[in-house]
Amino acid sequence: MTIGIEMGTVSGGQTSGQPAMLDLEELLATRLLVQGNSGSGKSYLLRRLLEQSAPWVQQAIIDPEGDFVTLSEKYGHLVIDAASHTEGQLTRAADRVRRLRVSVVLNLDGLDADGQMRHAAAFLGGLFDADRDHWNPMLVVVDEAQLFAPAAAGEVSDEARKLSLGAMANLMSRGRKRGLAGIIATQRLAKLAKNVAAEASNFLMGRTFLDIDMARAADLLGMERRQAEMFRDLPRGHFIALGPALSRRPLPIRIGAVETESRGVTPTLTPLPATPAEEAREMILAVASEPEPRLPPRRAPAAPPPDILAQLAQAVPLASAPKEVPQPTAEELAEHKAKLDEILRGVLEEPDAAFRPVAVLYQDFLVRLRIHAVAGKPPDIPAFRRMLAVARAGVSPEAAESPEWGEATAMAKALPEDVQGVFLMLARAALDKLPCPGDEAIATAYGTRSVGRARRLLTYLEEQRVIVMRPDAGGRRILAVVGLGWETAPGIP
Ligand SMILES: Nc1ncnc2c1ncn2[C@@H]1O[C@H](COP(=O)(O)OP(=O)(O)O)[C@@H](O)[C@H]1O
Ligand SMILES: [Mg+2]
């Protein structure tokens, strides 16, 4: 028996009006490429495909814009926020995902291009390297695939590009044996690496207006260029289907309706994701937040990527203090620290600083240290993250020294570095009995504009048992810090 899912209706030719089917088993063997200009309806199409096939097959979505996180509401996908995890953690989480057969959305929103590539590569690597016992069929959807398999070198580092291209090529060429069926979508076929595109045998071609993309599409489909002209005027939501899982001849289809909304549509109304199968979720998130193992993993030959920023920090000429310099006095140390704090404040006063990745802020910080001729070894990235956390929490340097505050920072240290700042901000509001910060303020402190991410972060902090939230009679939010007896005043979420 074959399992066919209904993608929509045939919109032309002899079978016009009939259901347009996609054969799932064939798809697992022959993969799919979706192409169409921005706004042609690719993400919508992917959503339709994912929703229709969710009851039949496990899914993983590599989601650069956090578009698909809403699948969790109705279909129970586990959302993994890539930005809150290291690459090693994601690789291990992916392995756990295959063991437990849970559908997941890897939300890459909030990372810069380089980070998106590295994190996606780490996660795909984990899916790919899973133990043979767990090679169950799985759809692996990659939206905006040209970001992960670019045809040409761009602004990203060679290292990130190599990792990501390698992972995408593995997925598309060698994934099949391991049960992984690649489904990739791109708005610019000419920008997608040829070897990655060439591995798909099924195509859904949407509106395409650039000649160069049209030419690539015609080549890929083995069509005359003139025949490919039919892609030029396709309306939104209309695609030409071709391939063993779809149709033997080019077939115009119209994509049917979806059940869940794209997150982009109404960001402020995004509800909290429903909790998927509780146990699986806990297990995956637990492994994803474990500290890095000391020993190299048994079957991961890839050397850890060099920490470019750490190298950069060491390369700063001022860093190497000559040996004969006497040890600084306590006063000098305090002065030095005050100077660093002041420079950090300057970094954070730049417009949009809240939304810049830590790596970018760090570079800015290093440059300013040089401009102000601050002597001594600059803080490394972890130290910088801690400074950033305190600064973003709005804690005064004096308060930061107090013993009470020491308890909060001790709790923060047990959390992943990039959520420490938000925790400290909340802890400070609780300590000073200020109103609980709103979702937007929390989002800003977290370095994102997404209110949905802020809410997921609060849920995460609750799961980590560091905070407890409760509404007051008027629906305002009160937040308590677990174990310290501090509580905020009610605040509007
Ligand atoms: N088949 C369709 N039916 C109804 N609305 C659609 C359809 N396809 C796309 N849309 C809408 O058009 C807009 C753009 O679609 P989207 O899938 O985001 O495009 P792309 O991913 O190709 O840039 C979205 O608001 C989407 O909801
Ligand atoms: Mg899209």
Side-chain angles (χ1 to χ4, degrees):
M1 191 199 79
T2 62
I3 298 166
I5 60 163
E6 210 176 304
M7 287 302 293
T9 47
V10 178
S11 59
Q14 290 177 345
T15 53
S16 189
Q18 290 185 10
M21 305 300 289
L22 173 69
D23 182 330
L24 261 193
E25 271 157 299
E26 189 63 42
L27 177 69
L28 286 165
T30 53
R31 299 163 296 275
L32 170 65
L33 170 70
V34 182
Q35 102 103 31
N37 292 141
S38 176
S40 59
K42 298 178 300 296
S43 298
Y44 194 95
L45 180 159
L46 293 176
R47 185 177 291 276
R48 169 81 187 187
L49 193 166
L50 289 163
E51 290 181 358
Q52 296 293 313
S53 63
W56 303 105
V57 63
Q58 191 190 350
Q59 310 175 332
I61 300 118
I62 307 298
D63 183 4
E65 283 158 8
D67 232 2
F68 293 92
V69 298
T70 50
L71 286 172
S72 70
E73 294 157 23
K74 199 163 166 165
Y75 299 92
H77 289 59
L78 169 69
V79 176
I80 300 181
D81 260 320
S84 328
H85 299 291
T86 66
E87 290 151 55
Q89 287 168 339
L90 289 180
T91 303
R92 277 173 283 131
D95 179 72
R96 195 70 64 102
V97 160
R98 291 213 78 183
R99 283 167 200 274
L100 299 170
R101 307 186 67 176
V102 179
S103 288
V104 287
V105 179
L106 181 70
N107 178 11
L108 294 158
D109 187 22
L111 288 167
D112 61 7
D114 210 85
Q116 289 201 330
M117 284 179 136
R118 289 173 186 276
H119 285 75
F123 188 77
L124 288 172
L127 295 180
F128 190 82
D129 286 336
D131 235 52
R132 184 180 280 273
D133 295 348
H134 306 292
W135 289 358
N136 302 305
M138 182 176 199
L139 302 185
V140 182
V141 168
V142 183
D143 200 1
E144 302 297 355
Q146 77 285 350
L147 297 176
F148 306 102
E155 296 121 51
V156 296
S157 67
D158 277 351
E159 169 90 23
R161 181 162 167 267
K162 229 168 75 189
L163 287 170
S164 174
L165 254 176
M168 290 290 287
N170 271 345
L171 167 68
M172 293 304 278
S173 63
R174 294 160 57 212
R176 176 190 173 180
K177 210 173 92 195
R178 292 154 195 264
L180 302 176
I183 296 174
I184 57 180
T186 184
Q187 49 173 282
R188 292 294 321 277
L189 200 46
K191 292 205 165 168
L192 182 66
K194 275 192 181 159
N195 61 328
V196 168
E199 296 292 340
S201 307
N202 297 287
F203 305 96
L204 283 162
M205 296 287 169
R207 179 172 150 80
T208 307
F209 50 77
L210 290 181
D211 291 339
I212 180 170
D213 292 328
M214 196 95 81
R216 281 288 307 278
D219 289 351
L220 210 52
L221 274 62
M223 280 182 171
E224 294 285 331
R225 302 238 163 141
R226 248 181 315 124
Q227 212 187 344
E229 283 291 320
M230 66 173 142
F231 305 145
R232 212 185 281 274
D233 298 316
L234 287 167
R236 160 179 296 170
H238 287 248
F239 288 80
I240 307 291
L242 182 65
L246 288 159
S247 163
R248 274 166 221 224
R249 317 171 126 258
L251 184 71
I253 70 172
R254 186 177 172 201
I255 302 302
V258 298
E259 304 272 323
T260 54
E261 284 196 337
S262 155
R263 192 185 72 173
V265 178
T266 48
T268 50
L269 298 179
T270 309
L272 284 171
T275 314
E278 197 50 52
E279 229 171 284
R281 179 189 160 87
E282 269 176 24
M283 288 173 80
I284 293 167
L285 291 182
V287 75
S289 358
E290 277 167 13
E292 295 293 312
R294 298 260 161 74
L295 297 169
R298 191 165 41 90
R299 54 213 261 40
D307 190 341
I308 294 164
L309 289 164
Q311 288 174 4
L312 221 168
Q314 274 154 21
V316 173
L318 298 164
S320 47
K323 286 201 182 64
E324 61 268 25
V325 167
Q327 287 299 308
T329 64
E331 241 167 59
E332 280 164 351
L333 280 177
E335 205 173 292
H336 182 65
K337 190 171 171 305
K339 190 95 203 167
L340 293 183
D341 283 335
E342 188 190 321
I343 287 175
L344 178 61
R345 271 198 300 281
V347 170
L348 292 178
E349 271 160 18
E350 288 292 310
D352 259 16
F355 305 108
R356 294 232 168 87
V358 174
V360 174
L361 295 176
Y362 184 61
Q363 272 167 352
D364 186 12
F365 180 71
L366 291 181
V367 169
R368 285 170 191 247
L369 288 184
R370 287 159 72 179
I371 292 171
H372 293 278
V374 178
K377 191 168 154 47
D380 58 11
I381 275 258
F384 179 73
R385 279 186 196 273
R386 283 191 293 275
M387 286 174 65
L388 198 60
V390 172
R392 280 184 169 163
V395 184
S396 69
E398 305 83 67
E401 302 295 321
S402 73
E404 277 172 313
W405 189 246
E407 297 183 51
T409 51
M411 284 176 80
K413 278 199 186 116
L415 296 168
E417 271 167 1
D418 37 9
V419 308
Q420 292 179 3
V422 179
F423 171 73
L424 291 175
M425 176 180 87
L426 299 171
R428 178 189 167 238
L431 176 62
D432 294 346
K433 299 190 177 55
L434 299 168
C436 179
D439 290 340
E440 268 179 38
I442 292 168
T444 304
Y446 194 29
T448 174
R449 291 192 171 84
S450 159
V451 175
R453 284 193 69 200
R455 293 198 201 126
R456 288 198 297 282
L457 173 61
L458 289 177
T459 309
Y460 171 82
L461 290 175
E462 264 196 333
E463 285 166 2
Q464 300 300 307
R465 302 200 176 79
V466 292
I467 63 164
V468 174
M469 293 181 290
R470 64 185 168 88
D472 76 350
R476 289 176 304 174
R477 182 165 62 204
I478 298 172
L479 187 146
V481 180
V482 172
L484 301 185
W486 305 346
E487 203 170 80
T488 66
I492 296 161

